[in-house]
Structure formats: C-alpha cells, structure tokens
Amino acid sequence: MKNKILLIFILLSFGLYESQVKKSPVAQKPPKIGLALSGGGAKGFAHIGVLKVIDSLGIKIDYISGTSMGAIVGGLYAAGYEAKDIEKIMKETDFYTLLANEKPRQETPFFSKTNDKYLITVPIHKGKINVLPKAISTGQKNLYLLKELLSNVSNINNFSELQIPFLCVATNLESGKMEIFEKGDIVSSIMASSAYPSLMDPVKVGDSLYVDGAMTVNFPAKPLKDKGMDIIIGVNLSQPLADREELNSAVKILNQVIDFNTKRENITQEKYADILINPNLSGYSTTSFDEKEKILNIGYKTAKQFTEVLNQLPKREHRISRAPINPIYSNIYKVDSLAVENNRIFNRDYIQGKMALKTPSLQTYEGINKMIDKLYATNNYNLINYELLLLGNKNVLKLEVDEIESRYFLKFGLHYDEVFKTGLLMNLTIKRLLLRNSVLSADVIVGGTHPRYYFNYFVDNGYIPGLGIYASGMSLELRDSHRNLIGKWKWFRNEAYIQSIWRDKYAIGGGISHDYFESKSGVARYDNERNFINPYVFIKTDTRDDKDFPTKGFSLDARGKLLDLFDKKIENQIFQIKGDLETNFAFSNRFTYRLHLFAGFSFGEPLTPYYQFYPGGIFEQNLANFVSFPGYQFGSFSANNLVIARNDFQFKIKKNYFITGHFNILNTFNEHNAKSVFKFGDVSGGITLGYKSPFGQVKLNFSKAADRSKGVFSVILGHWF
C-alpha cells in the first residue's frame, strides 16, 4: 500500500510539473534522488544487486550516502563504476585475505623469513605487555585495493565533485559521535567508515581516530534530506533482533547488545526513506563472504519488486563509465620524488631503500603497492598510507607512516616432529639494539628430551653489507632403519657473517663458523670431541607464497665451505659445496607440481662423520647436512656425496586441506663424474595429508623406499623451528 501511495505521489508531482510548465515560463526542476546504503559487512553485497536494477532502469542518482560496506559500494558507484563493474570487483576479491591482512611472504626480508614460526607475538611497550591487539587487521590490504580502484579520483578532495556527489558516515572513537565525511582523502574516509571494531584498527583522519559508522548511524538517510534530496531510495540491510533460542553464545549476545542502538537509530533514519528496500538476509552474517553471489542475488530480486515505483524516477540522459581522470593518473607514470610524514624512528633514506624505489622512475599503482608491501613486511609499521601529488610540474609520492614504537616482543610457538618430538618455543626479540637497523632474536626450545637454543643478531642494511652474529646448541639422536639407537650428538655452533641483497631477491654473503661436536655410540660417554673452524660463502632466496604448502615461487640455499681450516694435519684441504633448490609450478588454483633438488659434494681428505650428508625423514629444518628423503628414517645412514630429486604433486581438496603424492630419487656416489652423479639410484614414494591450521601445518605422511621392507609413518604439527 505504501508503495502505491508513493507511486501516486510521484506521478502527481510530475503532473504538477507539466501543468506548471504550461502556465509559467520557468520550468520546475525534476525531483532530486538520493541513495542511502547501510552497513552490513558481507551482507553489503546486496547493495550491488540493487544497483544493477537501478542501472537497468537508467535512474539518475543525484547523491549517495553510505556507512561501512555501504560506503565502499557507494564510493565506487559515485566515482564512476557501474553496478556490473562493482560486481566483477567483488567476485574477484578474496575478502578473507583482506581481513587476515597477512604480510606478503614473498616481500618479507630474509631475516624475517627464517622467523615465520611463531604462533603468538606479544609486544612490550613502555614496560607494559600488550596481550591483545587492537584488531585482527590494520587495514593495509584494504588500503591497497581502494587506492588502486579509486586512483582516477585521487585528486578530488571535495566529494561533491565526484561523478555522483557522495558522503559517508564514521564514528569518532573518542567522542562517540557521528561524523560525516564529504571532503578530504576518499580512501581514508571510506576506511574510517568501515573500520569495524575488533576486525580492523581505528583509522586516523586528521587528529582523530574513527571506527565503523554503524556504531552511531548505520543507515544514513537523514544526511541526504539535509542535502536537499526530494526522494530517497534507502537500502537497509538491518535484520530483526535475534530471539531467545538464537542467543546461545557470548558472541551472539554481544552482537545483540550492539544492535540495540542500531535498531533504535534505524527507526529514526527509515522515516526519511521514501523507497525503502530491505532484503531478507536472515541466515547470513557480516562475515558471510563466501556467500557473496547468493547475497547479491537476494538484493537484486528484492529491488526488482520495486521496479514499478523506481521506473517513475528521473532518468540519466547518458552514462559515463568512469569519473574524470586524475591529471597524474595513467597506466604508467613518472614518480619524481618521495616525501614521508610522521616518521620519527626510520629516516627517508631507510624507507626508500626498503621500497627499492628509484627516483625518478616510471611506476604503476600495482608497482607502488608492491614497493610499500616490502616496507610493510619489515614489521616496523602498523599502517602505511600514501597518495600521489602533483606539485608544480613534479609528481610526488607522499607516504604517511604509522610506526610500531614497541622494541621488545615475546613470541611463542609449539611444534612436534619425528626428530625433536614436542617442543615449546619461547622467544625474545629486540629491535634497534645498538644500531637502528638491527634485530636481536633469541629462541629457547624446551620439551621432550632435546632442549635447543638459537641466537641471532643482524644489522639489515639492504644492499649495503650488514653484519650478523649467530649461535645455536642442540642434541639429537640417530637411529637405523629399525629404529635402533646408533648414536647421539651434541652440537654447538657460533658464527659471524656479512650479508647483502643482490638483484632485490637474493641474499649473498659469507662468514666464518666454529662448530663443536660431541658424539657417542650406545650408552658410552661423550668421547669424540672435535672443534672445527670453517669459512664459508652463500647465496639464498625464498619467494614462496607459503612455507608449508607453497603454490608458487621458489627457494634456493647454496653454500660452499672449507672444513677445518686450521687443522695442520690435513694434507688436502676439505672443500664442500651443497645446493638446495625448490620450485613450484601452479597448473591451476588447486594443483601444484613441486620439484625439490638437493646436491652435496665433498672434496679432499676423508670426510669426518659430522659433515657427511644424512638423507631421511620429512624433516625440513636447516640442520647441518641432514636432508629430507621420505621413506628412510632420519639420519639412518650417511654419504660423502649425494643427489636427491623429490617430486611432489600437491592438490588442494578445499580451502586449507591438501593431499600430496611423492616420487623421490636418491643417488650416493664417491667419484665426481657425470656417470656417477646422474645414475638412477634408490627410489621412494608416499602420500601426505595436510591441513593449514591457524596454528601451523598438520601433516600425516606415509612413505616407503623400494629397498626397504617397511614404510615410515611421520607426523608433523606446527611451524618448523
């Protein structure tokens, strides 16, 4: 009935307009149409369905208001995107990845890649332990996406100058009051409007912090009336309060309490909506991102029911698919200089070096995002905002950084494997100790029968060589194929090294190490004690997207060393080289082929058992010369020279669930010639069931070597350390 009355009102309005045209030389303007889009998280996909109907009818929208997801969708529409464009963007965007806001492993500094093993990180700031973070995400990934999507209107500071005038609503975190954004940086404004507490950090705009506008006004219809809109189309995604039976958890009860104020304010705002579209989204939540197409279709079908009314509204004379172009925006453009704001700890040169930004240079928005990713991956920043400015005849890339002020961190991890058994990892990390670019990391692993420690202090100077100091200590057991104990080792290593970056991907360097070994067989006391001084060089890289279940990228760790440099008894100096290469080929989004090659060569005097190569197990730690080879027990035999080719066929069953088939070849030899090196040796095969959990990998492996009567079953839990 309400819609019919409204229809009559619209028709009468147009009739009155026509009659007035005949009587007066001054033509009355058609009614101005406003579009109000509410918040709702994933339920906001319904807005796109409504916009598809609006576009199909050619309705002219004169002003858009939005809150949270409504601000995101409304902002894109106001900037010139049509509904079909926004639909494509939403379908191609992985919102769970955005929410997780994980730092890109490919861009992480080499030192940090060796430390992706912690489950919990607790910062210590000003003597206080901050156990709980502000939110799940800082919003860095969201910023990248919005910057790229809205790059063509980045020069517009007054949102009334967009193709369709626009405003969005946020909540001032300190005052608790609603604030309307209609000027400034559109990306920051939209992020402030959609910063839902606990999911995303508060957003700083000017001198104030803001959170999701839904905390005050989730359905911003009145602001459009205040802008002089005659008719308001309102899309309110609010659903009825949950009943008693549904309130069966603390989270649901908390959401119900939050909804109390939202419902009261919605009643007030709905009075200003002339056409109210309220899709039935019961059964969907703010995080139902995997149901985006279903939600979009519900919005479309609901809006179609209003076709008769909507079709009476004024029409667009023509369509513009994009907003006016930013004068400095193009697919490729020149960046003349870098400017940085709010940096107190790290200077401009450090920032530009970590970004690998050369000025002047030609860049794209995608390229800038990748460079900022490198800076963000240093773990020195909460958020890095940026904009491109045209100053005079120069294009300036301006960064606004939010630095992590904490220098001290406690980190924890948990792991189980076939060698060290259960281990609890406790870590102390100190940044900027003595030198600004330095990181100190000290690990202690307790549990089981094999306590360990690792110490690393490194000064990261990027392309300029940096100094590192490393120390470790551990004990381990060696067993034969029947699981009988054949020996025990104690191993302590101390080393100093230098490291630099080459071609933006490779770490190169060298150093000198001191190894101290004790060994025994059976129950005898440790009687075979040896010290070794070994100079070495290395080159390494790691561009894999994931350490446990990689789908793309490669890794390389190649080393060469002189053994026992100062042993005067050696007539022919022992020289050893080894290379460990892994490369991944993604044939689809589910299937990955992984080739893993290892080669180790020893030259000179007879090799001590401590530096022989030990294949076996699925152990994937960088542990002396122990090399993974499924089908054999860890450390069950050794060789002076060997070559291993492992072939993994990884299939993603569904998100985070994997099954991997293995086919492996092992060749040991004594003579260094092509015939010996490339002969077909021992083979093994197996299968691994894997799960990528929030707490690290879970792997169940069964493998069998062709020359062994029994297979080997292994269990791996948690990140390697």
Side-chain angles (χ1 to χ4, degrees), residues 481-666:
S481 59
H482 301 289
R483 302 293 296 168
N484 297 316
L485 182 66
I486 58 176
K488 292 183 178 181
W489 284 14
K490 285 185 178 180
W491 175 34
F492 300 90
R493 169 171 287 184
N494 301 285
E495 60 184 84
Y497 63 95
I498 56 172
Q499 178 178 299
S500 179
I501 301 298
W502 176 58
R503 298 186 67 177
D504 203 35
K505 290 184 178 181
Y506 298 89
I508 58 174
I512 188 165
S513 69
H514 165 252
D515 286 344
Y516 172 78
F517 290 97
E518 290 184 0
S519 65
K520 69 176 181 179
S521 301
V523 294
R525 66 179 180 85
Y526 284 88
D527 54 7
N528 190 2
E529 302 179 8
R530 289 290 304 274
N531 287 278
F532 300 87
I533 303 295
N534 310 317
Y536 64 91
V537 294
F538 66 85
I539 179 172
K540 57 185 179 180
T541 187
D542 188 352
T543 65
R544 295 174 295 176
D545 58 342
D546 188 88
K547 189 175 182 179
D548 300 322
F549 301 96
T551 61
K552 57 185 178 181
F554 72 99
S555 65
L556 171 68
D557 189 350
R559 297 173 181 267
K561 68 171 63 176
L562 287 174
L563 296 181
D564 215 3
L565 179 65
F566 299 113
D567 190 344
K568 298 180 180 180
K569 299 178 181 180
I570 298 178
E571 295 183 3
N572 298 313
Q573 189 69 56
I574 303 172
F575 179 65
Q576 190 173 79
I577 58 174
K578 63 179 181 180
D580 195 353
L581 171 68
E582 178 188 306
T583 184
N584 295 272
F585 304 92
F587 291 102
S588 71
N589 58 356
R590 288 183 177 271
F591 179 66
T592 300
Y593 167 66
R594 180 159 50 255
L595 175 63
H596 197 140
L597 300 174
F598 181 91
F601 300 87
S602 304
F603 307 88
E605 292 282 336
L607 190 63
T608 172
Y610 298 124
Y611 292 103
Q612 291 179 334
F613 296 100
Y614 291 81
I618 61 171
F619 194 78
E620 297 179 5
Q621 282 282 71
N622 184 15
L623 181 64
N625 286 344
F626 292 87
V627 189
S628 174
F629 190 79
Y632 291 171
Q633 292 287 352
F634 171 87
S636 58
F637 75 101
S638 62
N640 290 346
N641 307 273
L642 60 76
V643 174
I644 291 176
R646 289 165 41 200
N647 302 272
D648 298 339
F649 304 89
Q650 178 179 281
F651 182 78
K652 183 191 301 185
I653 302 172
K654 62 178 183 178
K655 187 177 179 65
N656 296 332
Y657 290 89
F658 301 83
I659 184 170
T660 305
H662 311 277
F663 176 72
N664 315 297
I665 303 173
L666 166 68

Side-chain angles (χ1 to χ4, degrees), residues 317-367:
E317 295 181 1
H318 55 85
R319 294 187 179 187
I320 303 175
S321 60
R322 299 290 300 183
I325 298 295
N326 185 335
I328 69 168
Y329 172 79
S330 63
N331 291 328
I332 300 176
Y333 53 90
K334 186 180 180 184
V335 174
D336 295 294
S337 63
L338 175 71
V340 184
E341 287 189 354
N342 296 336
N343 59 311
R344 297 180 297 277
I345 301 173
F346 301 98
N347 59 33
R348 180 186 169 278
D349 291 339
Y350 169 88
I351 292 171
Q352 186 164 349
K354 287 299 180 183
M355 293 173 62
L357 171 64
K358 297 180 180 179
T359 54
S361 62
L362 298 178
Q363 301 293 340
T364 65
Y365 263 84
E366 182 181 5

Side-chain angles (χ1 to χ4, degrees), residues 203-495:
V203 175
K204 185 179 180 183
V205 180
D207 295 327
S208 299
L209 291 176
Y210 295 91
V211 295
D212 200 307
M215 301 298 104
T216 48
V217 177
N218 190 50
F219 178 49
K222 184 177 182 298
L224 292 180
K225 281 294 184 185
D226 296 338
K227 288 295 179 180
M229 297 299 105
D230 301 300
I231 297 174
I232 295 176
I233 304 169
V235 187
N236 189 2
L237 307 178
S238 177
Q239 303 298 304
L241 291 169
D243 56 31
R244 183 182 301 179
E245 287 73 21
E246 296 175 297
L247 299 173
N248 52 14
S249 71
V251 174
K252 290 182 179 180
I253 293 173
L254 179 61
N255 288 335
Q256 182 91 330
V257 173
I258 294 174
D259 282 346
F260 289 160
N261 181 66
T262 303
K263 298 296 181 187
R264 287 193 294 268
E265 182 60 33
N266 277 343
I267 294 172
T268 301
Q269 295 292 327
E270 285 180 354
K271 296 177 181 178
Y272 297 93
D274 302 289
I275 302 174
L276 182 60
I277 301 174
N278 187 205
N280 182 3
L281 296 172
S282 59
Y284 299 97
S285 71
T286 56
T287 57
S288 298
F289 297 111
D290 52 350
E291 304 285 352
K292 58 180 99 177
E293 290 192 47
K294 293 180 180 178
I295 295 172
L296 188 151
N297 289 331
I298 292 173
Y300 179 82
K301 291 177 180 179
T302 306
K304 286 288 286 185
Q305 299 173 12
F306 292 79
T307 299
E308 186 179 359
V309 175
L310 294 172
N311 207 31
Q312 304 302 317
L313 300 178
K315 303 295 193 294
R316 291 184 286 182
E317 295 181 1
H318 55 85
R319 294 187 179 187
I320 303 175
S321 60
R322 299 290 300 183
I325 298 295
N326 185 335
I328 69 168
Y329 172 79
S330 63
N331 291 328
I332 300 176
Y333 53 90
K334 186 180 180 184
V335 174
D336 295 294
S337 63
L338 175 71
V340 184
E341 287 189 354
N342 296 336
N343 59 311
R344 297 180 297 277
I345 301 173
F346 301 98
N347 59 33
R348 180 186 169 278
D349 291 339
Y350 169 88
I351 292 171
Q352 186 164 349
K354 287 299 180 183
M355 293 173 62
L357 171 64
K358 297 180 180 179
T359 54
S361 62
L362 298 178
Q363 301 293 340
T364 65
Y365 263 84
E366 182 181 5
I368 289 177
N369 286 342
K370 288 184 177 180
M371 288 190 295
I372 293 177
D373 248 359
K374 294 178 181 179
L375 183 62
Y376 184 62
T378 63
N379 293 316
N380 291 324
Y381 302 92
N382 293 308
L383 187 73
I384 305 169
N385 200 350
Y386 73 91
E387 59 182 326
L388 292 163
L389 302 175
L390 182 61
L391 301 178
N393 60 348
K394 300 289 186 179
N395 297 332
V396 179
L397 175 60
K398 176 187 167 185
L399 304 188
E400 184 179 355
V401 299
D402 179 11
E403 297 171 321
I404 297 176
E405 296 182 356
S406 300
R407 295 177 54 211
Y408 302 90
F409 302 85
L410 296 176
K411 303 179 181 182
F412 303 91
L414 190 65
H415 179 79
Y416 174 85
D417 62 63
E418 58 187 325
V419 178
F420 293 115
K421 308 304 179 184
T422 302
L424 172 64
L425 168 63
M426 296 176 288
N427 169 273
L428 172 64
T429 295
I430 305 175
K431 293 184 177 182
R432 305 188 297 277
L433 180 66
L434 302 179
L435 297 172
R436 178 170 293 181
N437 299 344
S438 69
V439 178
L440 181 149
S441 177
D443 291 331
V444 176
I445 296 99
V446 297
T449 58
H450 303 287
R452 292 170 283 156
Y453 70 84
Y454 301 94
F455 174 90
N456 207 337
Y457 178 82
F458 182 63
V459 182
D460 188 359
N461 294 325
Y463 293 97
I464 301 173
L467 175 66
I469 300 173
Y470 173 84
S472 65
M474 67 190 68
S475 65
L476 61 153
E477 296 178 347
L478 305 182
R479 298 180 180 272
D480 61 20
S481 59
H482 301 289
R483 302 293 296 168
N484 297 316
L485 182 66
I486 58 176
K488 292 183 178 181
W489 284 14
K490 285 185 178 180
W491 175 34
F492 300 90
R493 169 171 287 184
N494 301 285
E495 60 184 84

